[in-house]
Amino acid sequence: MEALVQWIFANVAIPELFQPYVTAAIIGAGAGAIVTFAAIYAGIFIFFERRIGARMMSRVGPNRVGPQGVLQWLADAVKLIIKEDIIPDSADKPLFKLAPYLMAMGVFGGFAVLPFSHRVIGADLNIGLLYILAITSISVVGILMSGWASNSKWALFGGMRSAAQIVSYEIPTAMSLLPTVLLAGTMSTQGIIRAQAGEPWNWYVFHSPMMFILFFVYFISALAEGSRTPFDLPEAESELVSGYNTEYSGFRFAAYFLAEFANTWIAAAVGVIAFLGGWQIPFVSLEVLESATGLQAVGLELASLVVFVLKTLVLVFLIIQLRWTLPRIRVDQMMSLCWKYLVPTVFICTILMLGWMIILPWESMLALGIRVLMFLMGVGLLVAYVVRIRYNIVAAGDKVYAKWAV
Amino acid sequence: MLASVLFYFGAAVLLVAAVFVISAKSPMRSAMALIVALCAQAFLYVLLDAAFVAAMQVLVYAGAIMVLFTFVIMLLNMQAEHQTQRSLLSFSRLGGGIAIGYFVWRIISSVTHADSKPVDGSVLAIGKLLLSDYLFAFEAISIVLLVAVIGAVVLGLKRLT
C-alpha cells in the first residue's frame, strides 16, 4: 500500500496540498478492498463448507439456489439482513449492539498485514505477526461483552467459556510462531516469507523436527482460537443452546459468523506465511522475482498470488475436513490439552530450536540434508493421508451422485 | 497535516473514553470504555512510530488484562452502583486533584523543555535495549513473574489436610 502511494506520487503530478488527502483516500480504498475480500471469502467459505461437509456425510447439501447452489451464501445473507433485529428487554443495549462489531473488527483487522502475493499486501508492518496476535485478541472482548450484555445465562456461560479458551490458546499460538521469528530475524510477514524459498525443503516447516511439531501445534491452537471443531465448545449446541450469540438475530448474528469464517483464512494464511513458504514460487529465486520487468513481472506476480492462495486454501480445506471428521472434545480435555501438552511442547521445542540454530546454520550442507530428509518424510505423511482417505471413501461407498465423484 | 488530524482524533477518543470510565455507573461499561481508551492510546503510539509498544499495549492490556477485569466483574456479579460512598468522596477528590496537578506539571515541563530527542521504536532497537542497558530490569521482571506463577500454583493447590 505504501509502495503504491509512493508510485502514484512519483508518476502522477499531484499538488503538495492534496497529497495527504490522496494518501488517505488510497488507504481507505485499500482497507475497503481488504474488508470486502474478507466478507466475500467468508460467504464463499460457508458454501464450500456446507457442500464439502455434505459430501463427507453422504448428503447432497445446498444445491437449489443457482447452479449447484453456488448462490446459497447470498441467499443466506439476504435472509439474515431482512430478519427482525431483536434486542432482549433486559439486555445492556449499547454493549449488546456494539459487541458483534468489536468481534468483526478484531478479525477483519488481521487481514491488513496478510500478504496475497509478492507485492500485494495491505501494510507490511515490521511487527506483522505480533500485530495479528494483538488485533485478534480484541475479538475476545467482543465475545465476553456479548455474553454479558445479553443478560442470559447460556450466553454468559458461552462467553466465559469462549474467553477462557481463546486466552489459553493464545499462548501456544504465539509461542509456536516465535521460532519462525528467530529464524527469519523479523516479524514482518513479507520478511518471513522472503527468508524462506519456493522449494518445499526450504520452507520453515521442514527446517527441523521441532519446526515440524510446532507447525502442528500452531495449527491445533489456531483451530481452538477460531473456535473451530473439535474446539467449538463456545457454541456447544447440546449444552449451551448457541453460546454467546444465543440472543442475537439478523445482521448482528451474521456479523459473528462472518468474523468466525473470515478467521479461517487468517489461521491458514499465518500458517502458510510462517511455515509453508508463503508466496515463494518453486525454483524462482527472489532476485528474479524482484528484478523482473514488464509482462514477466506481471506473470510472476500472478504466479505468486496463485501459489499463496492455493497453499492457504489447502489448509482451509483441512480445517473444513476436521470439522466434519472429529467429535467435539470436553471442556476439561480442551484445557488440559492446552496447558498440559501444547504449552510444554512449545517451550521444549523453542529451547531445542535455539540450540539447533547455533549448531546447524541455515546454509550448511548438513542442515540442507536434514531439510530434504524432513521434506521426504512430509511427502510420506501426505501419501499416507491420501491413502487413508481413499480407503475411507472406498469403505463407506460413494452414495451421492456428483460429476466430480472420486 | 494528516498526522496531526489523526492525533487530534485519537486524543479526543482517548479523553472521551477516559471520562466515561469514571462517569459510567455500570462497572462493565467502565471496563469497556477503558478498553477503548487503551486502544486509542495504542493508536497514539503508532503515530509516534512506536508500533511495537502499540501492539504490546493492545495485546497485553486491551486483550489480556481487560479480559481478566471483565472476568472478575462477571464472577463477582457486580451491578451498577447508585449511591456513592460519601466518606470516601473527599479523599478521592484530594487524590485526583493531586494526580491531575502532577500530570499537568509534567506535561507543561516536558513541552517547554524541548530537549527530547526521537527514539527508534522498532523491534530491533527495543530488543537491543532490553538486552544491554535494561538487562537487569528485564531479568528482574522475569523473576517477579516466575514468583507470581509459582505463587498462583501454590494458592491453587488443593490442601489435602
Side-chain angles (χ1 to χ4, degrees):
Chain A
M1 200 61 70
E2 216 172 87
L4 180 72
V5 171
Q6 274 159 12
W7 183 82
I8 287 174
F9 286 158
N11 288 287
V12 186
I14 294 166
E16 192 92 6
L17 183 64
F18 296 119
Q19 283 193 359
Y21 301 106
V22 173
T23 311
I26 293 169
I27 291 172
I34 288 169
V35 172
T36 309
F37 165 77
I40 291 176
Y41 162 76
I44 295 173
F45 174 83
I46 296 169
F47 167 72
F48 275 102
E49 174 159 83
R50 291 179 66 187
R51 281 308 293 257
I52 293 170
R55 288 272 296 153
M56 284 177 184
M57 301 166 100
S58 290
R59 293 186 281 118
V60 178
N63 68 343
R64 295 283 156 168
V65 192
Q68 288 293 315
V70 286
L71 299 177
Q72 181 67 45
W73 58 283
L74 287 175
D76 287 345
V78 169
K79 187 202 89 175
L80 281 169
I81 289 169
I82 60 178
K83 256 192 166 181
E84 187 189 353
D85 182 24
I86 302 166
I87 298 175
D89 222 20
S90 58
D92 191 334
K93 289 184 184 62
L95 292 186
F96 186 86
K97 286 179 186 167
L98 191 64
Y101 304 116
L102 257 184
M103 169 126 177
M105 188 190 91
V107 172
F108 289 148
F111 278 83
V113 295
L114 293 180
F116 293 95
S117 74
H118 176 227
R119 288 194 181 85
V120 182
I121 181 169
D124 187 13
L125 301 182
N126 70 355
I127 51 157
L129 280 187
L130 192 66
Y131 168 83
I132 294 179
L133 295 173
I135 199 92
T136 47
S137 72
I138 294 278
S139 56
V140 187
V141 178
I143 290 172
L144 266 179
M145 200 194 246
S146 66
W148 167 267
S150 299
N151 210 351
S152 136
K153 58 179 165 243
W154 306 121
L156 188 63
F157 282 149
M160 297 268 251
R161 218 187 236 198
S162 185
Q165 175 177 333
I166 296 177
V167 170
S168 308
Y169 277 91
E170 246 169 34
I171 295 165
T173 314
M175 287 294 296
S176 61
L177 294 174
L178 186 64
T180 300
V181 174
L182 292 176
L183 276 171
T186 173
M187 278 198 249
S188 136
T189 45
Q190 295 285 61
I192 289 170
I193 295 172
R194 282 212 175 85
Q196 304 175 55
E199 303 79 38
W201 50 88
N202 284 336
W203 295 352
Y204 281 159
V205 63
F206 299 126
H207 174 265
S208 58
M210 284 81 78
M211 286 303 276
F212 197 69
I213 296 168
L214 283 171
F215 172 66
F216 287 97
V217 171
Y218 166 76
F219 193 70
I220 293 168
S221 344
L223 276 183
E225 268 210 278
S227 311
R228 297 283 308 178
T229 316
F231 302 100
D232 60 343
L233 296 151
E235 291 154 41
E237 301 90 349
S238 47
E239 304 156 34
L240 291 172
V241 189
S242 177
Y244 57 87
N245 53 25
T246 303
E247 304 292 336
Y248 284 84
S249 66
F251 185 71
R252 287 180 224 286
F253 181 77
Y256 279 117
F257 278 90
L258 216 55
E260 202 182 306
F261 291 130
N263 195 40
T264 56
W265 179 276
I266 297 188
V270 171
V272 169
I273 292 163
F275 295 100
L276 301 180
W279 38 253
Q280 294 261 21
I281 314 161
F283 307 110
V284 176
S285 72
L286 205 56
E287 290 81 42
V288 176
L289 204 57
E290 303 259 305
S291 60
T293 48
L295 214 57
Q296 197 194 8
V298 175
L300 284 175
E301 196 65 37
L302 283 177
S304 69
L305 182 77
V306 168
V307 165
F308 187 83
V309 170
L310 268 184
K311 281 179 187 170
T312 309
L313 289 182
V314 166
L315 283 192
V316 166
F317 179 79
L318 206 58
I319 293 175
I320 295 177
Q321 196 194 11
L322 284 175
R323 166 154 183 198
W324 301 99
T325 311
L326 297 176
R328 179 186 301 138
I329 63 172
R330 285 199 319 261
V331 181
D332 58 321
Q333 289 170 333
M334 181 266 285
M335 277 300 177
S336 67
L337 175 69
C338 177
W339 292 106
K340 286 188 186 160
Y341 299 98
L342 293 185
V343 172
T345 311
V346 163
F347 276 115
I348 292 168
C349 284
T350 308
I351 292 170
L352 288 178
M353 266 304 290
L354 293 175
W356 187 285
M357 281 169 66
I358 293 169
I359 298 167
L360 281 172
W362 179 264
E363 294 83 15
S364 71
M365 283 312 282
L366 188 57
L368 183 67
I370 290 171
R371 288 209 295 275
V372 173
L373 264 181
M374 292 292 302
F375 165 64
L376 293 177
M377 201 187 83
V379 171
L381 209 66
L382 198 67
V383 169
Y385 165 85
V386 171
V387 167
R388 181 73 210 172
I389 294 215
R390 200 182 145 65
Y391 171 78
N392 281 350
I393 290 173
V394 169
D398 197 25
K399 295 192 184 69
V400 180
Y401 169 75
K403 279 174 188 159
W404 36 281
V406 181
Chain B
M1 225 295 286
L2 195 63
S4 60
V5 169
L6 290 174
F7 168 77
Y8 284 115
F9 171 73
V13 171
L14 174 56
L15 283 179
V16 170
V19 169
F20 196 77
V21 173
I22 48 172
S23 66
K25 292 270 188 253
S26 146
M28 199 66 181
R29 287 192 192 176
S30 292
M32 293 307 156
L34 188 53
I35 291 171
V36 175
L38 290 169
C39 289
Q41 205 182 344
F43 178 71
L44 294 184
Y45 286 141
V46 172
L47 289 181
L48 288 172
D49 268 343
F52 179 75
V53 183
M56 275 303 168
Q57 170 95 355
V58 173
L59 185 66
V60 176
Y61 286 95
I65 292 191
M66 287 314 296
V67 168
L68 199 69
F69 274 31
T70 41
F71 252 104
V72 171
I73 293 169
M74 282 179 175
L75 288 175
L76 297 180
N77 199 16
M78 286 157 77
Q79 296 302 325
E81 285 179 38
H82 292 294
Q83 79 275 19
T84 330
Q85 281 170 305
R86 293 264 158 223
S87 55
L88 290 173
L89 205 58
S90 54
F91 283 108
S92 315
R93 279 180 183 150
L94 188 68
I98 291 171
I100 287 174
Y102 175 71
F103 284 119
V104 166
W105 175 69
R106 287 295 298 202
I107 290 167
I108 289 172
S109 62
S110 72
V111 169
T112 48
H113 290 78
D115 58 348
S116 53
K117 43 187 183 295
V119 282
D120 189 359
S122 70
V123 187
L124 198 70
I126 290 173
K128 276 184 180 157
L129 275 181
L130 278 182
L131 290 179
S132 56
D133 292 6
Y134 299 100
L135 184 61
F136 178 73
F138 185 64
E139 294 295 333
I141 285 173
S142 60
I143 289 172
V144 169
L145 285 176
L146 185 66
V147 170
V149 168
I150 294 171
V153 170
V154 170
L155 286 176
L157 276 178
K158 286 196 182 103
R159 297 279 154 85
L160 292 175
T161 48

